[in-house]
Amino acid sequence: MNAGDIAASNVNGLTFKGFGVLSANSTSALLLDYKAQHPASYARLLRVLFGGAHPIMTHVKIEMGNDRNNSTGPDPATMRWETEPVNVARAPGFQLAADAKKVNPDLKVSILRWNAPAWADTNDKIYQWYKDTILAAYRAYGFMVDYVNPGVNEAAADLGWTKRYADLVRTDAAGFRPGEADRYHRIKMVISDEAGIGSFGPSMVGDADLRSAVAVAGYHYNTDDDSGGNFTRLAEDYDKEVWNSEAQATFSNSAFRPNNNTPDPTVPGTGIGGSGGSLEMANTVVKGFVNSRRTHFVYQPAIGSFYEGGQYAFKELVSARDPWSGWMHYDAGLAVLQHFTSFAKAGWENGTNTAGIWRAVPQASATTATGTNPVVGRNGRPDYLTMAAPDASDFSTVIVNDSEYARTYRITPTGFRLGTNPTLATWETRAADPGEAFDANYKRHVSDIAAGADGAYTVEVKPYSVVTATSLDVSRDPEWTAPLPVEGERPVLDADPAHGVLWADGFDYRGKTVPVIGAGGRVTKRRTGFVDSRGGDTGADPLYTWDRNGAFEAIRAEHGNYVLRQQVDRAATGVGRAWNDADPITGVGDLRWTDYQASVDVRFDRAPAADNYAAIGARSTGGGNSHSLAGTPYALRLGSDGSWQFRRTGTTVSTGVLAEFDAAGWHRLAIRVIGDQVAGFVDGQQVFDYRDSAPFLSGRVDLASGFHYTRFDNLRIERVPGHRPYYSALLDNLEMNHLVYGGDWRHANGRGMYEYMRSASTSQAPGATLTYTFTGSGLDITGPNDGSARLDVVVDGERVATDRPTTASTNFQQTFEVRDLPRGRHTVTLEVTAGTLVVDAVGVRQREEYIR
């Protein structure tokens, strides 16, 4: 490693910029609820991600929404029609960026779109939408966007439009307030955010005008260069930024991940590595730089702040799904990223090249990993990235060993100004040793190494670990040594137990306030109005809702009353394009709810029409159809003409028509779920009673409508006396500090996005057992099963059932139940006698009176 290889004069292409957060497609849906309900948790998140002298995240990328599903769900449109005043407060990404800049004023902000509102159907209108939104964010939050992609996300670049957009940004002189124009003119262009290797590399290299217009070449989910090596040339020869502008984080919960026993390739268990693991993510950084000079990586999503069961769940670095409790999970993937950012000065160079941003050094970096998404480094061969200060005063080499083999590296620096007899500190992250806390070995200072007689430093790298060898002495700095937060308990949403109410919302938030985040990400004593902070009286983001299509917002209606209204109206706003096309739907509540009654008042703003309806659903847990009412297990749908339908996962079970229906009046819908019984009510009159032979037994409440202004009010989810309203605990199958497996099981993670924490345990032969000791009255086994398994049941040492059948079940739903145990502590053992049992999660039942 030669200091002469540091490209100090290259200020864009080889400067290591660190990592970014993508706020998009409803993945930030619950973040503002955390800010309102548990501001300390929200502020801690800001400090962990964006804080300190060496922040993990240096960029917030905002995908502009159009109120339609762009995978996980929609983000709100900042302008629903062409003349609507811009509203950036209802879009959570802008507020996240504003608060993150309170922590790190140097943070970069970028925007792009996947789809546009219906009115923005030409490039000129797109430009106006972008410009008005950018200026509104500046006026509301004080920051000017740094980068814009004028094209469509994951589509080939429109090079002519890119040049024209860049020229408009540089020359536009209309509509600015004092001081805004200069800042606006400095906005830089990004292309093209394609999924796969960018198609525009040859054009960028061959077209000086295009290079002048574009600052950043970005593409997604691929580490490699094109066949002509054009992206490497752009970084090295033309000093252009090359980003992995949408990258994947960890697939599962790394705290439980070491409990897997899947050989990858031959030894069971991979610690924090293996398929979909944190070390695979690190190898993507290494391989992305070595192969295509990527010096910035943006994670989609970095923060998973939406309910379980959503598309792309548990593909994240922070899980924030319970805003009523403040619970968050900080994944080991963050510790792995700190191996890059904590031991370098990452970011963007200034105009005079004096900021001291470290350069990544191609000649001192290498990869032997295979594949591109995912990147596989299980061969145990070299994978490392070196970064160095531009003045050669310090360097760090990050070594990734995502294999089952111990490896030894020799580092020989020459030409560096390291002082007399310098040592290299080595910092390591790997899974815990037996008996240790799960994070015992996250970013630990493990040694200080002196050079040998030949000037080489010998670094030992354990299997399934990442090691940073650095000349920086950071051991006494709390910013480097402070561990990531560890989540606590996850209380169920049970808002008013004394009155039997799990959750109720009249959508009138007058008098409710939200704390203001101050410098350094601290919660100040200053407050701002809840409604204004989330969109205002014309449409504010309500508490605890997760839209999967459409836009459900609290508005101030006639006579000053507040209601929830679905805001995408076919006549008034038009309906834009979607990734997952369906009618509007939102969810509220807790995955762990079981038996309850949910009710809501509804009213139609538009005249009766076949597609004008309102619905309430129960026991929703997400899945591939969760963007529509077809994904809701049980739904009562009221048409604007007075017809009603009861639907089970989109299939109509029963129908009817209400007599003397008032199409302009309010009507109350209610749905009650108790075990396998489902009942529905309209205006207090029971309209159906259904017994399900293959019941869905737990999940949230859904509200849905057509693409018409539709109002909801007085939502109430309450206990049914004498029945259990929720699981008191829901354990992932890999929580082996509580669950004890015997016999032959395959424990796997990195599985599908509709499985709890992307993990499952599958029995491999008869005789496999699962034992759990808990306090409660029963337990449920959930997970995708074919119903072939038969089980013996032992409770507190006594066999109480033999050869019991299981049922076929979908993700998050129940395949087997043990019920009606006496109140108290029990040990239950399930033994597979035939077939195959898949355990995704274990839910603990309590007697209703015990929960109270």
Side-chain angles (χ1 to χ4, degrees), residues 225-245:
D225 207 332
D226 63 20
S227 59
N230 286 299
F231 293 99
T232 298
R233 290 185 63 191
L234 286 171
E236 293 188 345
D237 299 342
Y238 296 104
D239 199 13
K240 291 293 179 183
E241 300 180 45
V242 185
W243 295 357
N244 189 335
S245 48

Side-chain angles (χ1 to χ4, degrees), residues 32-33 36-37 503-514 527-537 539-546 552-557 560-565 587-588 703 712-715:
L32 295 186
D33 295 339
Q37 303 295 87
W503 178 242
D505 199 340
F507 310 106
D508 186 344
Y509 304 113
R510 284 176 290 187
K512 184 174 178 60
T513 61
V514 179
R527 313 284 298 189
T528 188
F530 178 93
V531 172
D532 288 342
S533 74
R534 297 163 71 110
D537 285 345
D541 178 34
L543 278 173
Y544 301 161
T545 56
W546 169 41
F552 294 79
E553 295 176 347
I555 69 164
R556 186 171 184 173
N561 296 324
Y562 284 80
V563 298
L564 182 72
R565 186 171 74 167
V588 61
L703 302 175
F712 301 82
D713 203 3
N714 300 316
L715 173 67

